[in-house]
Amino acid sequence: MRACAAVNPHINAVVGLWPADLAGIDKAAPFAGVPFLIKDVAVTMAGQASEAGSRLGAGHVAAADSHLMAQFRQAGLATLGRTGTPEMAFATTTEPVLYGATRNPWNLALSAGGSSGGAAAAVAAGIVPLAHATDAAGSIRVPAASTGLFGLKPSRGRVSNGPAMDEIFSGLGVQLGVSRTVRDSAALLDGVQGSMPGEPYVTGAPHLTWLSQVSVAPGKLRIGVQRAASNGAQPVPAVDAALDETVRLLEGLGHHVEQVTPPLGVSWEAFVQANARIWCANLVPWIDGLAQESGRSVSLETLEAATLACYRYGKTVSAVEFVAALDVRNTVTRHAGAFFTEYDVLLTPTMPDLPWQLGRYGENEGTLDGLGWTARLFEHSPYTPLANVAGLPAMSVPLAMSADGLPIGMQFMAGYAQDGVLLRLAGQLERAAPWVQRRPPVWAGRE
């Protein structure tokens, strides 16, 4: 609480606080008493607000714990608040009208990324050591890269979204967290993995713990390096240099590394359109449900312009178009699967650019329809959505810093259910190029 009071006025990461229920924590639990924050979307905690970062959902209080929340409790985490998210988690920056922009602890004029920007800023600034996060197109990895954290997106089916949700955005969305260390994310996955009855996807747990894999040598891996994103975007010079540095690090660790151009199987335009149709169509019943519960109308008084545009676009998507979008998902997944029969890991920059200035992301948002807004999101983070569409594990690792003191993340992706490959590699990278001692200018220990 003191750490939050010291730094949150600067970064606006935490949008709700409450006393943690320490009396109900099992002292033998792996995270017994560790302070924790949940994102204001996807997970629900009984008796606490769950507003999805939206004026439409303002004041909504969850009636029950979601399965994941129960897992957090069982792991011993002391949940004491919730973090900011863009409205409906529909952006890779965190600048909602409801609570205002979350600021990057490394530079307060910059975005902390999104949609888990509040979580990432809170962890990066030292409020908590780890926090809940979600990822449907990069929303764990983008803010992790933007704030110098480790962010693991697990394989589809590892962590339950139930019972209120089955498959977030038709299987594209998953949940876990962001952390300062590989160890903490691995232990978090140990604590929350698993399913409840009726899951649409179940990816079985391994016989060994994820935490144990962090200290295991990964062996010599076949790593493909993708420099230009699938939309043709090239990384800016600082990111490009960081990618070269990462390649040299991997080669020095004994891995086989070569340049690749992994095929999507469809054009970039078709890829974006399919995602827009899936995302926006899924958004419609969610928004309609919030409107019915709150008694508020769906309008610019309750929704941001981009969200309203996506809602309207979603209402135009026909059943045939939605099925065609799922067929694109299948095509992309099959091509990704074939790629990972030849390579163990795909390396890309997490982002093609350094963190953007606050306000840049939403420029001219009122002129865009749902397809246009989705295209902007994918332009901002073109390397990350493949893992969501194909259901693959992926991680952002904070391996570099720019000359002006901004963190740069590198993304590593592996084949379906090969989360262990990534955690073993992440452990090796963390030992070879440690980052945990880096501190942003806004840090709780300095306040």
Side-chain angles (χ1 to χ4, degrees):
M1 291 286 193
R2 288 195 300 271
C4 187
V7 299
N8 198 56
H10 302 294
I11 59 174
N12 192 35
V14 180
V15 298
L17 277 175
W18 54 80
D21 180 16
L22 299 177
I25 291 175
D26 180 357
K27 293 182 179 178
F31 286 100
V34 173
F36 190 66
L37 296 165
I38 56 174
K39 186 176 176 180
D40 187 30
V41 75
V43 68
T44 59
M45 184 176 185
Q48 298 299 340
S50 180
E51 300 170 311
S54 177
R55 290 167 293 167
L56 185 63
H60 170 72
V61 175
D65 283 356
S66 61
H67 180 74
L68 180 56
M69 189 66 232
Q71 296 290 86
F72 288 150
R73 291 186 192 271
Q74 188 173 335
L77 290 160
T79 303
L80 50 80
R82 60 194 172 102
T83 59
T85 176
E87 188 169 55
M88 308 298 175
F90 217 119
T92 44
T93 188
T94 303
E95 304 177 47
V97 170
L98 180 63
Y99 287 112
T102 294
R103 297 180 178 275
N104 195 319
W106 292 91
N107 182 327
L108 297 177
L110 303 181
S111 169
S115 63
S116 306
V123 174
I127 295 175
V128 290
L130 73 169
H132 166 245
T134 69
D135 192 316
S139 290
I140 287 174
R141 292 157 287 156
V142 170
S146 300
T147 60
L149 301 179
F150 177 76
L152 173 68
K153 173 213 167 291
S155 292
R156 184 182 295 154
R158 288 248 182 254
V159 179
S160 173
N161 296 315
M165 296 182 290
D166 59 353
E167 44 175 2
I168 300 175
F169 292 126
S170 299
L172 274 58
V174 300
Q175 305 188 62
L176 191 61
V178 289
S179 62
R180 292 184 58 77
T181 67
V182 179
R183 175 201 65 187
D184 286 352
S185 283
L188 184 63
L189 184 55
D190 280 326
V192 303
Q193 70 180 338
S195 61
M196 62 183 302
E199 296 288 355
Y201 307 108
V202 176
T203 302
H207 298 299
L208 299 172
T209 67
W210 298 116
L211 181 58
S212 71
Q213 297 303 289
V214 176
S215 58
V216 174
K220 183 175 182 177
L221 298 174
R222 301 166 298 169
I223 301 177
V225 181
Q226 180 183 6
R227 191 171 299 271
S230 295
N231 65 346
Q234 294 284 345
V236 299
V239 176
D240 199 46
L243 181 61
D244 288 337
E245 182 182 337
T246 301
V247 168
R248 289 191 293 270
L249 173 62
L250 291 166
E251 290 174 336
L253 292 169
H255 301 296
H256 174 77
V257 185
E258 62 182 70
Q259 296 284 331
V260 296
T261 305
L264 276 178
V266 297
S267 70
W268 179 256
E269 292 74 21
F271 182 71
V272 173
Q273 183 183 61
N275 277 273
R277 286 173 170 171
I278 291 171
W279 279 41
C280 296
N282 273 273
L283 198 61
V284 173
W286 186 11
I287 287 175
D288 284 343
L290 283 176
Q292 182 176 6
E293 181 176 324
S294 67
R296 302 178 179 119
S297 62
V298 176
S299 71
L300 284 174
E301 297 299 314
T302 55
L303 291 179
E304 296 167 27
T307 311
L308 183 59
C310 290
Y311 171 79
R312 289 171 173 164
Y313 181 81
K315 294 189 81 168
T316 71
V317 176
S318 71
V320 172
E321 289 171 335
F322 191 82
V323 172
L326 294 179
D327 189 54
V328 169
R329 185 188 70 176
N330 176 63
T331 299
V332 171
T333 301
R334 301 295 177 178
H335 278 77
F339 176 85
F340 285 108
T341 64
E342 299 181 26
Y343 295 91
D344 300 304
V345 172
L346 173 65
L347 163 66
T348 75
T350 307
M351 302 290 291
D353 203 350
L354 298 172
W356 283 5
Q357 291 278 331
L358 288 168
R360 175 180 170 183
Y361 197 100
E363 289 176 354
N364 304 314
E365 98 177 65
T367 67
L368 301 175
D369 64 3
L371 177 59
W373 183 253
T374 307
R376 175 169 296 181
L377 191 157
F378 279 39
E379 175 193 0
H380 182 239
S381 54
Y383 297 103
T384 55
L386 171 61
N388 300 88
V389 173
L392 306 178
M395 62 184 183
S396 182
V397 186
L399 289 176
M401 297 290 291
S402 71
D404 52 350
L406 295 175
I408 299 173
M410 290 291 122
Q411 176 179 243
F412 298 84
M413 194 181 303
Y416 173 70
Q418 297 303 307
D419 309 55
V421 170
L422 294 184
L423 286 171
R424 289 189 290 273
L425 176 59
Q428 183 186 55
L429 292 169
E430 189 175 32
R431 291 186 293 273
W435 59 78
V436 73
Q437 295 305 318
R438 295 179 192 151
R439 297 286 187 271
V442 178
W443 173 254
R446 292 197 182 100
E447 300 297 327

